[in-house]
Amino acid sequence: MYNELPADEQSEIEQALVHDADLAAKCADLLLAQRALNSLQQNPRPDTTQAILQYSRTFLKAG
């Protein structure tokens, strides 16, 4: 899914996908889910970021 296998193991997986339609379908579903999840971007609200920054400044003043 993330291209993290050594080349020989990746080759074995690719061969398994060629010869096992059920495995290939499950892999395709996982790749679609991965793509959908990767497209989501979550960011904190600006006031949350400001609260964290303000809190961290208290440590700078204390030291």
Side-chain angles (χ1 to χ4, degrees), residues 1 17 21-37:
M1 303 300 302
L17 292 170
D22 187 48
L23 181 63
K26 289 177 183 177
C27 183
D29 289 343
L30 289 171
L31 287 169
L32 287 173
Q34 177 190 37
R35 188 174 301 155
L37 290 172

Side-chain angles (χ1 to χ4, degrees), residues 11-24:
S11 179
E12 290 177 29
I13 297 292
E14 289 170 355
Q15 286 300 311
L17 292 170
V18 168
H19 297 292
D20 187 334
D22 187 48
L23 181 63

Side-chain angles (χ1 to χ4, degrees), residues 5-12:
L5 291 175
D8 58 332
E9 290 181 36
Q10 184 173 342
S11 179
E12 290 177 29

